[in-house]
Amino acid sequence: MGQRVRRPAATPKDTVSISPAQDSLTATVPKGDIETTIKYSARDSMQFEVDRKVVHLYGDAKINYGTMELTAAYIQIDYETNTLTAETLTDSTGKEVGTPVFKDGAETYAAKRIAYNYKTRKGRIAEVVTQQGEGYIHSEVVKKNEQNEIFGLHNKYTTCNLEHPHFYINAGKIKAIPNDKIMSGPFNLVIADIPTPLGFLFGLFPTPRNKRSSGVIMPTFGESRARGFYLSNGGYYLALNDYIGTRITGDIYSLGGYKVTVDNTYINRYSYRGNFNISYDYFKNDEADVADPSRSTNDRSGLPPTQRTAFINWSHSPVQKPGRGRFSANVRAGSSQHNRVNYNSPGQYLTPTFNSTITYQKNIQNTPFSYTATLSQGQNNGGFTSDGKPAPTIMRFVLPDLNFAMTQMSLYEIFSKNVPTGRWFENFTFGYNLRARNEVSNSVAARRLGTVPIVGGTERDTSFALNFDNLDQLWKNGRKSADHNFNIGLGNYKVLRFFNLTPSVSYRESWFDNKLTYSFDPDSQKVRIDTAKFGRVYEYNAGASLNTTIYGQVNLKGKRVQAIRHVMRPSIGYNYRPNFGNEERFGFFQTAQVGVDTLTNLPVYQTLPRFNGSVPSGGLTSGMSIGIQNSVEMKVRSKSDSAATAFEKVSLIDNLGISTFYNFASDSLKLSPINVNMNTRLLKLIDINVNSTFDPYQLDAEGRRIDRYTLDGPGFKLARLTNAQLSMRANFNPEARASNTPPPTNLPGMMSPTDPLMPDYVDFNIPWTLSLDYTIFYTARTGSRTASTEGNITQNLGVQGTLNFTEKWKVGYMAGYDFTNKNISNASLDIYRDLHCWEMSIGWRPFGLMRGYNVTINARSALLRDLKLSRNRSGMNFR
C-alpha cells in the first residue's frame, strides 16, 4: 500500500485506459473461442489494445474463468491467442510484489511467471512450487496440459515444507498426475545440498486422494545372529477398494530361510473392522554349527532347530447397535514354535499359551433374555524335549460354548401386570443363567486315583496327533457339561430406621456326561472304575447381611482447615452352606474298598469323588462375616478462590477396610485370617496402597497352626502378620498426570509396535515427566514362629520419565532396582531428535532378553518411510 508500481514502458496508439473507479469488467466473445464468460478486475488500472485484442491489468489483478482463478500484480489477456500471462512487478524499492497464484479446482500454484491457454487448458509456469499429497515439487519450468497433468523440468521432490528444503530427490524430468502418482526419470538423493550416489533409473511416488494406493513396499536390509544377512518386509501393497487393503511381504535370509506374510485389513465404517494375518516361516539353522559351536564365528547356542512354522492372527470387532447381534473374533493359532522363532518382545517369547475365541452375542429386544455362542481354542507355546526336539502341541477346543441368560427381574413383574404397591414381597427378584460346554483335547489325562491302584491305570499324561484320522478319538476324549445358576434376590429392607437388611439365596446345579462308580477287584487287588452316561452335582446356600453408615465430624477454627469428617460403614452377615464334601448322602462321593490290610486282612475303605474335579469342596459353613470400611476427609478453604464461602474437600484416607469370617460349625480354627487394606493419595502426588493379612492363631514348634489365639499369650499380641504389601507411586509432573488425551496416530514418533526398542509416542508438548514406584512385599516363612523377624522381604524401586533438553531433543529413561538380589532388574534409555522433516531415534536395553540397541534415522513423512538408515542389535539380532 502506498508504493508505486512500475508498469511496462510502451503503450500502443490504439489503447483505451480505464480509471480505478471503473476497475471491473465482464467480457464476452464469440462462443467458438471461449466456453464461458471471463470476469476480470484490477485495483490500479486496465488498458485495452484494441487492434491486438490485448488487455493489461495492473495492481491486484484478478481473473475468473469457469473453475479457474488467477491473481497477480500484472495480468495480460490476449484474445487473439487465447492466453493469460501473469507476472510479478517491482515496486519503488526494487522488490518484486504480487506473486502470481493460479487456482484450478483443488489445484493451486504459486510461481514467478504463469502463461495459460484458457481454450486448450494448457499452461507453462516458471519457478514454481506445487504440492502433491504430502510432497512438494520445486521446478524451474512446469507445463500443464488439459488433463491437469504436470510436466516439470529440473525438479526437486521433497516432503520438507521449507522454501530451501533440507533434502530432496533431484530429477531432471517429472510427470505428476494429481491425486494419483508422481513419476520421474533417473534421480539421486540430495541431503543438505550435498549430492549422494543413492538413486535409481526411475522413480514412482503414489499421491492418492484417499491416501491409499497399491504399490511396492521396499525391504529393509540387516543382519541377524540367528539367520545371517537379510532383506525383510519387502513386497507389495494392494488397495483393493475403499474397504480392504492387503500387504504381501516376505523376508529372505542368507542362511537359507525365508518368511512370507499376508496381512489383510478391512473396515466398514459404522459396521465393523478387522485384520486377518497369516504367516509362513522356514527357519533354517546350521545343525553342524549347533553341534560344534567352534565352527561358527557367531554364538548359535540356544537357537531352535531347523523347522517350518505357520501362524494365523484374526481380529474382528463390530460396532454395537441396539437390537442387533454382535459377532466378534480374536484368533491366535498356529505352530507352537512360530512365535519363539519370530519373537520381537519378551512377552511374546515367554507367553505359555495362545487362546482364540469366536463369539456371537445377542440381546432379544423387549425381553430379559440374551444368548451367546462361542467357539474357543487354546494351545501351548511348545518347548523342547530333552533330546532337543519340539515338544508335542497340546490343543484344547470348546465346540461350542453356549450361554443363555435371563437378567434379574422382580417376581411381581413376571407374574403380575398390576402396578406395584410397595409390599415387602414385591422386592423378590429372580435371574437364571445356563452355560453348556463341549470340551475336547488331544491331551489324554493319566488314569490314576492318587495312591490307589486301579485297573487299567496309567502314570503319565499322553497326547495324540490332530488329524482327520483321529477325529473319533478326539470326540471320545471330550467332556460335556451344563451349568445352571439361579439368582434369587429377597429384596432390601430398612431395620430400625438406620440399618439395611439384605437376605439372599442361591442355587447352582451342574450336569455331566460321566459319573464314576468304584468297585474292588479281589483278583487283581485293584479298584475298577465304571462310568455312567449322566450325573448331576448341585449346591446351595443362604444368608443375610446388615449394614449401616456412621458419620462423625470435628469442626475446627483454623484459618484454612474448617472441619474433618470420618465415615464408617460397618457390616455383618450370616451365611449357611451344607457340607457337600465327603458325604455320601448327596451322591457326590462314594465310600469304596480300595485294598486289604496286610496285617489284619481287613478291607480298607476310602471316600472317593464320583466326578472328576467337579464336586463341591469344603465342609459345613455356618458363620458370620464382619467388616468395616472407613474414609477420612478434610474441608479446607480454597486457595484458588478468594471468596469467603469457597471450600474444597481433601481426602486423607480414601479407604481403610478390615474384614474376617467366623465359622461356628468348624471344630477348630473357627476365625479366618483378618484382611486389612488401605489406599490414599498424599499431596495429590503420591498414591499409597497397603494390603495385609493377619493370622489370629499361634504356631506350634514345627510351625503349624494350633487352635490357640495369639491373645492367649505369652505376652500381648492381637494377631500374627502372615503377608503384607506396600506400594507407592509418585508422579511429579501434574501436566503429564492430567493429560488424558490419547496420542494421535499420524504424528511422527509413532514407532512400529514390532520394534521393542523404540518409544510408541514422542510428545514434545510435555517438557518433562518423572515417576517413582516403590513396592515392598513381606511373606512369613513356612514354619516360622516369629514371623516378624524371619519373613521373606522383597523390595523393588522403579523410576521412569522423559526430559526435553531442547525443543528438538528428548530423552526417555526407565530403570528398576531389586533390593533383594541387589542388582538392576531392567533399564532402558531412549533418545529422540526432531530433525524437522527427518527424525532420529536411539534405543538401548542393557539387560534382559531384548538387550541391545537400535539406531534409526528416517524421513518423517509416511510417503518416504522407506527412506531410512537403521541399525538393530537386539534379541536375536544381537551379536
Side-chain angles (χ1 to χ4, degrees):
M1 299 296 293
Q3 294 179 333
R4 174 170 293 183
V5 177
R6 299 178 181 176
R7 305 178 187 175
T11 302
K13 61 180 181 179
D14 296 326
T15 298
V16 179
S17 297
I18 300 179
S19 66
Q22 298 171 323
D23 60 355
S24 180
L25 288 178
T26 298
T28 303
V29 295
K31 186 175 181 180
D33 296 331
I34 302 178
E35 298 177 358
T36 186
T37 301
I38 298 179
K39 297 180 180 180
Y40 52 85
S41 61
R43 176 182 55 82
D44 190 359
S45 63
M46 293 182 286
Q47 294 180 354
F48 293 85
E49 297 184 38
V50 179
D51 56 340
R52 295 178 54 199
K53 299 182 180 179
V54 174
V55 180
H56 302 272
L57 309 177
Y58 297 96
D60 292 340
K62 183 177 181 180
I63 292 180
N64 291 95
Y65 176 63
T67 61
M68 185 273 294
E69 178 182 310
L70 180 63
T71 60
Y74 166 72
I75 297 177
Q76 174 185 293
I77 307 174
D78 192 330
Y79 289 103
E80 189 70 30
T81 60
N82 303 316
T83 59
L84 305 175
T85 303
E87 297 179 345
T88 61
L89 294 177
T90 57
D91 59 14
S92 57
T93 63
K95 181 181 179 181
E96 292 185 347
V97 296
T99 301
V101 177
F102 178 87
K103 294 182 181 180
D104 190 0
E107 303 295 329
T108 301
Y109 311 98
K112 189 173 182 180
R113 187 177 188 276
I114 295 177
Y116 180 73
N117 188 304
Y118 50 78
K119 183 177 182 180
T120 62
R121 303 186 68 85
K122 297 180 180 180
R124 189 175 189 274
I125 309 173
E127 298 183 28
V128 64
V129 178
T130 62
Q131 182 175 2
Q132 300 290 327
E134 296 182 37
Y136 301 88
I137 302 177
H138 299 246
S139 304
E140 288 187 8
V141 178
V142 167
K143 292 184 179 180
K144 180 176 178 295
N145 63 15
E146 65 277 7
Q147 298 176 351
N148 277 341
E149 296 176 341
I150 299 173
F151 300 84
L153 182 65
H154 300 158
N155 309 274
K156 301 176 183 178
Y157 179 70
T158 181
T159 57
C160 182
N161 60 1
L162 298 181
E163 182 178 356
H164 188 79
H166 290 113
F167 79 101
Y168 56 88
I169 293 173
N170 185 32
K173 295 181 179 180
I174 278 183
K175 176 182 178 181
I177 303 176
N179 301 321
D180 189 2
K181 63 177 73 70
I182 298 174
M183 298 169 287
S184 76
F187 70 89
N188 70 298
L189 179 65
V190 178
I191 301 177
D193 294 331
I194 301 176
T196 70
L198 302 177
F200 202 65
L201 298 176
F202 64 90
L204 178 63
F205 309 95
T207 59
R209 176 177 300 175
N210 57 4
K211 299 185 178 180
R212 292 178 62 251
S213 67
S214 301
V216 176
I217 302 174
M218 299 299 295
T220 300
F221 174 78
E223 181 183 5
S224 167
R225 175 176 68 93
R227 297 186 159 192
F229 296 99
Y230 62 79
L231 288 174
S232 176
N233 289 324
Y236 197 81
Y237 179 79
L238 289 170
L240 300 177
N241 52 43
D242 293 339
Y243 308 102
I244 302 176
T246 302
R247 290 169 53 96
I248 304 174
T249 58
D251 305 348
I252 186 170
Y253 303 91
S254 62
L255 294 183
Y258 60 87
K259 178 181 176 183
V260 178
T261 302
V262 178
D263 186 89
N264 185 80
T265 300
Y266 57 91
I267 180 173
N268 190 346
R269 184 175 295 181
Y270 310 122
S271 295
Y272 56 81
R273 65 171 57 217
N275 175 270
F276 182 83
N277 179 291
I278 183 170
S279 176
Y280 177 82
D281 181 88
Y282 172 47
F283 179 84
K284 189 176 186 303
N285 201 346
D286 193 326
E287 306 297 340
D289 286 347
V290 175
D292 183 11
S294 61
R295 296 180 69 254
S296 175
T297 57
N298 294 335
D299 179 16
R300 305 188 64 79
S301 60
L303 297 180
T306 298
Q307 56 187 293
R308 299 175 185 269
T309 62
F311 210 83
I312 294 176
N313 285 278
W314 177 34
S315 63
H316 177 91
S317 58
V319 176
Q320 186 67 45
K321 296 181 179 179
R324 302 282 295 274
R326 178 182 174 89
F327 176 82
S328 60
N330 185 10
V331 176
R332 301 181 67 199
S335 305
S336 59
Q337 295 295 316
H338 184 86
N339 287 282
R340 288 181 177 264
V341 173
N342 297 278
Y343 77 92
N344 50 45
S345 68
Q348 183 185 17
Y349 183 87
L350 299 174
T351 299
T353 59
F354 295 103
N355 299 302
S356 304
T357 58
I358 300 176
T359 304
Y360 180 80
Q361 187 270 337
K362 183 176 177 61
N363 295 324
I364 303 176
Q365 279 190 310
N366 302 320
T367 71
F369 303 108
S370 64
Y371 62 88
T372 303
T374 302
L375 307 179
S376 62
Q377 177 260 350
Q379 70 179 81
N380 66 331
N381 197 18
F384 297 96
T385 60
S386 57
D387 57 357
K389 297 181 179 179
T393 300
I394 303 299
M395 289 195 177
R396 295 174 175 83
F397 302 89
V398 181
L399 306 170
D401 186 346
L402 302 177
N403 188 286
F404 175 80
M406 185 186 83
T407 58
Q408 203 139 346
M409 293 184 62
S410 169
L411 293 178
Y412 189 84
E413 184 180 359
I414 296 175
F415 298 108
S416 175
K417 296 182 180 180
N418 298 326
V419 179
T421 59
R423 288 174 291 184
W424 63 274
F425 60 84
E426 294 177 356
N427 291 328
F428 289 4
T429 59
F430 175 79
Y432 172 72
N433 181 274
L434 167 64
R435 184 181 185 186
R437 294 163 55 88
N438 176 39
E439 302 179 54
V440 296
S441 174
N442 68 328
S443 175
V444 181
R447 186 178 172 84
R448 58 175 179 263
L449 195 62
T451 58
V452 177
I454 61 175
V455 177
T458 56
E459 294 297 327
R460 294 183 179 180
D461 296 344
T462 59
S463 62
F464 54 89
L466 282 174
N467 52 49
F468 290 102
D469 297 333
N470 294 329
L471 289 180
D472 184 64
Q473 183 180 1
L474 183 67
W475 179 261
K476 292 180 179 179
N477 193 45
R479 180 183 179 188
K480 304 168 187 64
S481 64
D483 296 326
H484 307 264
N485 286 279
F486 299 87
N487 303 313
I488 303 172
L490 302 180
N492 185 283
Y493 309 94
K494 281 286 185 181
V495 178
L496 300 177
R497 294 181 56 192
F498 302 107
F499 298 92
N500 297 314
L501 176 65
T502 306
S504 62
V505 176
S506 67
Y507 179 85
R508 175 180 175 271
E509 182 170 319
S510 298
W511 296 347
F512 301 100
D513 64 342
N514 63 76
K515 183 178 182 180
L516 307 179
T517 302
Y518 305 95
S519 61
F520 184 71
D521 185 0
D523 296 333
S524 62
Q525 293 291 302
K526 294 182 179 180
V527 174
R528 184 181 304 279
I529 303 178
D530 297 317
T531 303
K533 294 298 183 181
F534 177 78
R536 57 186 288 266
V537 173
Y538 59 90
E539 60 179 315
Y540 52 85
N541 66 75
S545 64
L546 186 69
N547 62 78
T548 187
T549 303
I550 303 173
Y551 297 91
Q553 181 168 313
V554 178
N555 295 317
L556 304 175
K557 296 182 179 181
K559 292 183 178 180
R560 184 145 192 265
V561 179
Q562 301 297 306
I564 296 178
R565 186 173 73 169
H566 177 205
V567 181
M568 292 189 299
R569 296 179 176 86
S571 65
I572 60 172
Y574 175 79
N575 183 264
Y576 175 81
R577 178 180 178 274
N579 181 15
F580 294 101
N582 295 325
E583 289 194 12
E584 288 193 73
R585 65 189 179 97
F586 293 104
F588 307 152
F589 293 85
Q590 177 187 347
T591 301
Q593 182 181 350
V594 297
V596 178
D597 193 315
T598 57
L599 298 178
T600 63
N601 203 29
L602 295 176
V604 178
Y605 293 91
Q606 187 173 332
T607 302
L608 303 174
R610 304 194 66 181
F611 300 90
N612 291 324
S614 304
V615 294
S617 59
L620 174 64
T621 299
S622 176
M624 181 175 64
S625 61
I626 305 172
I628 182 171
Q629 303 293 325
N630 300 268
S631 62
V632 181
E633 58 186 11
M634 183 170 56
K635 183 179 180 182
V636 298
R637 194 177 300 277
S638 176
K639 288 184 177 180
S640 59
D641 194 338
S642 59
T645 58
F647 298 96
E648 60 182 3
K649 294 180 180 180
V650 177
S651 178
L652 300 179
I653 298 177
D654 293 339
N655 180 60
L656 172 61
I658 304 174
S659 62
T660 187
F661 184 82
Y662 189 88
N663 189 1
F664 299 104
S666 178
D667 56 356
S668 62
L669 305 176
K670 297 183 178 183
L671 185 61
S672 299
I674 303 169
N675 298 310
V676 180
N677 59 82
M678 187 197 75
N679 61 80
T680 187
R681 168 173 286 190
L682 299 180
L683 305 175
K684 297 183 180 181
L685 293 175
I686 305 174
D687 295 315
I688 300 177
N689 289 276
V690 179
N691 296 281
S692 59
T693 303
F694 294 86
D695 192 341
Y697 293 101
Q698 296 184 18
L699 302 176
D700 61 12
E702 297 181 359
R704 295 174 300 189
R705 299 176 71 199
I706 59 176
D707 195 14
R708 183 180 180 184
Y709 292 113
T710 56
L711 280 173
D712 295 339
F716 177 78
K717 190 175 184 180
L718 292 175
R720 176 174 51 86
L721 180 63
T722 58
N723 63 75
Q725 180 179 357
L726 167 66
S727 61
M728 294 189 296
R729 178 180 178 84
N731 192 333
F732 296 100
N733 188 340
E735 182 178 356
R737 185 174 61 251
S739 177
N740 295 320
T741 303
T745 58
N746 60 341
L747 293 183
M750 288 296 296
M751 303 301 176
S752 170
T754 60
D755 190 347
L757 293 184
M758 291 294 100
D760 290 334
Y761 176 64
V762 179
D763 188 355
F764 278 91
N765 295 324
I766 301 177
W768 63 273
T769 62
L770 174 63
S771 63
L772 298 175
D773 294 273
Y774 174 75
T775 302
I776 179 171
F777 187 79
Y778 166 83
T779 304
R781 293 181 183 176
T782 304
S784 173
R785 299 190 62 185
T786 57
S788 60
T789 59
E790 297 184 10
N792 297 317
I793 297 178
T794 302
Q795 298 183 73
N796 292 280
L797 176 66
V799 57
Q800 58 183 342
T802 60
L803 177 64
N804 291 2
F805 282 108
T806 67
E807 293 182 354
K808 303 296 184 180
W809 283 95
K810 193 179 192 71
V811 174
Y813 53 89
M814 183 271 292
Y817 184 78
D818 186 345
F819 289 93
T820 303
N821 298 316
K822 298 181 179 180
N823 60 16
I824 299 176
S825 56
N826 54 66
S828 67
L829 180 67
D830 299 302
I831 301 175
Y832 181 84
R833 176 67 164 93
D834 184 356
L835 300 173
H836 186 253
C837 49
W838 288 68
E839 61 186 358
M840 178 181 69
S841 301
I842 302 174
W844 179 45
R845 304 291 185 271
F847 311 108
L849 181 67
M850 297 306 297
R851 69 185 184 277
Y853 67 91
N854 183 299
V855 180
T856 301
I857 302 176
N858 60 278
R860 296 178 65 173
S861 171
L863 183 64
L864 299 178
R865 60 184 175 185
D866 294 318
L867 187 59
K868 65 181 179 180
L869 177 64
S870 180
R871 178 76 169 177
N872 186 349
R873 290 295 178 267
S874 61
M876 280 193 177
N877 297 321
F878 186 75
R879 297 187 62 190

